[in-house]
Amino acid sequence: MLSEREVISTLNMLRNEHLDVRTVTLGVSLLDCASHDLDLFIANVQAKISRYAAQLVRVCDEVGARYGIPVVNKRISVSPIAVAGAPFGPDGMVRICQALDAAAKEAGVDFLGGFSALVEKGFSNGDRALIEALPEALATTDRVCASINVASSRSGINMDAIAIMGRQILATARKTAAAGGMGCAKLVVFANIPQDVPFMAGAYLGIGEPDVVINVGVSGPGVVKKAIDRAMEKGRNSHGQPLTLLDMAEVIKTTAYKVTRVGEMIGTEVANRLGIPFGVADLSLAPTPAVGDSVGEIFQSLGLSSIGAPGSTAVLAMLNDAVKKGGAFASSSVGGLSGAFIPVSEDSSIEEAARKGFLTIEKLEAMTSVCSVGLDMIAIPGDTPPETISAIIADEMAIGMINHKTTAARLIPVPGKGPGEEVSFGGLLGKAAIMSVPKGRSGGFIDLGGRIPAPINSLKN
């Protein structure tokens, strides 16, 4: 339990520092909905989601009001549709996506994740059908998110899948051109995707997960920044010595502990009220476009002029590690991604650094070697060749594969716009300046296809 001093500290976080529970995500397995009849499958899916999700939003609001801690987003994740809907072709996959969208709207949730395929080692018929359906499915729905896992540390990188995804990302952008390529903001390509992520767009319910489960995504970059600022104002640690980065890491770790305890408390209460098991707390520092709720501002508090300046990768490594250590001590049920996100459009400070040229895709790629996800919510020119998109994804997947960590790419080619222009997605997705892509051609490499083998550690068992 939280001590009296920790309770007072947490109340201050609520009043002044943007502490919230970023998402409560209901996981629902659809494997028992299987049928070769598309209409029956869709009816089974909608009935099961309705049965478990009908009270989700109301209960989250009630629990948030009771504790005075807002639950910003209520979401649903489902079994990978490429598995649950394996008998159906691309047209059937589009209909399933539309049915999921209707179910999400009926439940009143913000997003539903799980229009997903796991193809790190190859394709099934269901995988191919889902990937082919992506542009139409994402263009004709509002709340469904898609994720494709194309690499893992045990299987290597499926370069055939990456080549296809370069083309499908571009096709999705063109299908949603009127909204600035918005469909691509709901589509993410992964290496080593966890089975219990509550954050979108990567949330899905893994095959090894319970039939239904509540996972919670905690956040609080504003809380961490304020804690660092307070320590810096004092100028000395508890022993009266000048502050060092070791002291800063301790401040971040202690703050992450408090935030995780709050998130687990909310998630457990929601789960108990719904009669559903509690799964994990994902303690990722997930920013919003609001000023004061930024991961990028933490870099400035730690002495950099901006995220992207020399030293940024080192700061992110320290931040990510300290967040994980604090969260792990606070809960035995930490999962998902649990670290620091650096989504360009969703963080006002990161977006500003990218707009001013302090932050490039090359620097972001370097930083993803030590953060929780990867190249996230990056707007690129709409005329970027598909093989260039595929090659950028391949580089990011290689970082994840070699380092045994999750990495991802959520790239948004914005039709009709070029470097320096701006696109706005609204809400939590924010706005972004179009970033230049690295120069050079990659077509010959992508055309080779096949699979990049897993590192030798794949034999470790």
Side-chain angles (χ1 to χ4, degrees), residues 272-335:
N272 288 340
R273 291 193 183 202
L274 291 173
I276 292 172
F278 175 72
V280 302
D282 183 327
L283 53 106
S284 298
L285 294 183
T288 72
V291 175
D293 199 23
S294 163
V295 171
E297 291 176 3
I298 294 173
F299 289 70
Q300 295 169 311
S301 292
L302 287 169
L304 299 182
S305 61
S306 168
I307 183 172
S312 294
T313 304
V315 168
L316 186 57
M318 182 186 76
L319 176 62
N320 209 48
D321 178 67
V323 165
K324 290 177 184 291
K325 286 175 177 174
F329 185 67
S331 171
S332 58
S333 299
V334 170

Side-chain angles (χ1 to χ4, degrees), residues 393-413:
I393 293 171
D395 285 342
E396 192 60 35
M397 298 303 102
I399 290 172
M401 177 185 73
I402 294 296
N403 291 300
H404 294 261
K405 68 184 293 293
T406 300
T407 53
R410 190 159 42 149
L411 305 174
I412 307 169

Side-chain angles (χ1 to χ4, degrees), residues 56-66 71 74:
L56 176 66
V57 172
R58 178 185 62 79
V59 169
C60 286
D61 289 342
E62 289 177 355
V63 172
R66 178 187 177 190
V71 178
K74 299 87 175 174

Side-chain angles (χ1 to χ4, degrees), residues 381-401:
D383 61 358
T384 304
E387 60 270 21
T388 298
I389 297 173
S390 294
I392 294 171
I393 293 171
D395 285 342
E396 192 60 35
M397 298 303 102
I399 290 172
M401 177 185 73

Side-chain angles (χ1 to χ4, degrees), residues 107-377:
V109 298
D110 305 277
F111 287 110
L112 183 150
F115 197 70
S116 306
L118 311 175
V119 296
E120 58 268 25
K121 207 169 183 179
F123 302 92
S124 69
N125 290 335
D127 297 327
R128 291 186 184 277
L130 184 139
I131 291 172
E132 185 177 337
L134 283 170
E136 181 69 17
L138 295 175
T140 57
T141 57
D142 299 313
R143 305 189 189 187
V144 175
C145 292
S147 57
I148 311 296
N149 194 76
V150 300
S152 75
S153 296
R154 293 192 67 86
S155 300
I157 304 174
N158 184 343
M159 291 300 296
D160 292 327
I162 285 179
I164 294 170
M165 288 310 301
R167 298 191 293 270
Q168 292 301 80
I169 287 170
L170 204 55
T172 300
R174 289 168 178 166
K175 274 274 188 182
T176 56
M182 174 68 178
C184 296
K186 302 183 293 174
L187 172 59
V188 59
V189 181
F190 267 98
N192 294 319
I193 187 172
Q195 298 191 51
D196 52 8
V197 181
F199 287 103
M200 299 295 169
Y204 83 104
L205 188 71
I207 303 301
E209 294 292 301
D211 189 52
V212 286
V213 65
I214 289 289
N215 294 317
V216 61
V218 187
S219 188
V223 175
V224 172
K225 179 188 183 300
K226 290 285 188 179
I228 293 170
D229 289 344
R230 284 194 298 270
M232 295 292 280
E233 286 172 10
K234 291 180 181 177
R236 294 186 175 272
N237 61 22
S238 58
H239 303 292
Q241 301 298 317
L243 288 174
T244 68
L245 287 171
L246 187 62
D247 298 311
M248 292 296 95
E250 187 66 24
V251 168
I252 296 167
K253 184 176 73 173
T254 302
T255 306
Y257 167 83
K258 295 175 185 177
V259 170
T260 304
R261 295 290 282 178
V262 168
E264 186 174 51
M265 177 180 69
I266 295 293
T268 301
E269 180 75 10
V270 170
N272 288 340
R273 291 193 183 202
L274 291 173
I276 292 172
F278 175 72
V280 302
D282 183 327
L283 53 106
S284 298
L285 294 183
T288 72
V291 175
D293 199 23
S294 163
V295 171
E297 291 176 3
I298 294 173
F299 289 70
Q300 295 169 311
S301 292
L302 287 169
L304 299 182
S305 61
S306 168
I307 183 172
S312 294
T313 304
V315 168
L316 186 57
M318 182 186 76
L319 176 62
N320 209 48
D321 178 67
V323 165
K324 290 177 184 291
K325 286 175 177 174
F329 185 67
S331 171
S332 58
S333 299
V334 170
L337 298 164
S338 291
F341 290 2
I342 48 172
V344 175
S345 76
E346 296 178 6
D347 186 305
S348 58
S349 179
I350 298 177
E351 189 277 329
E352 182 182 14
R355 179 163 37 85
K356 292 181 176 179
F358 300 144
L359 193 59
T360 64
I361 288 181
E362 293 92 331
K363 182 59 177 177
L364 279 166
E365 183 184 305
M367 293 172 68
T368 63
S369 65
V370 298
C371 81
S372 279
V373 192
L375 298 172
D376 198 15
M377 288 301 292

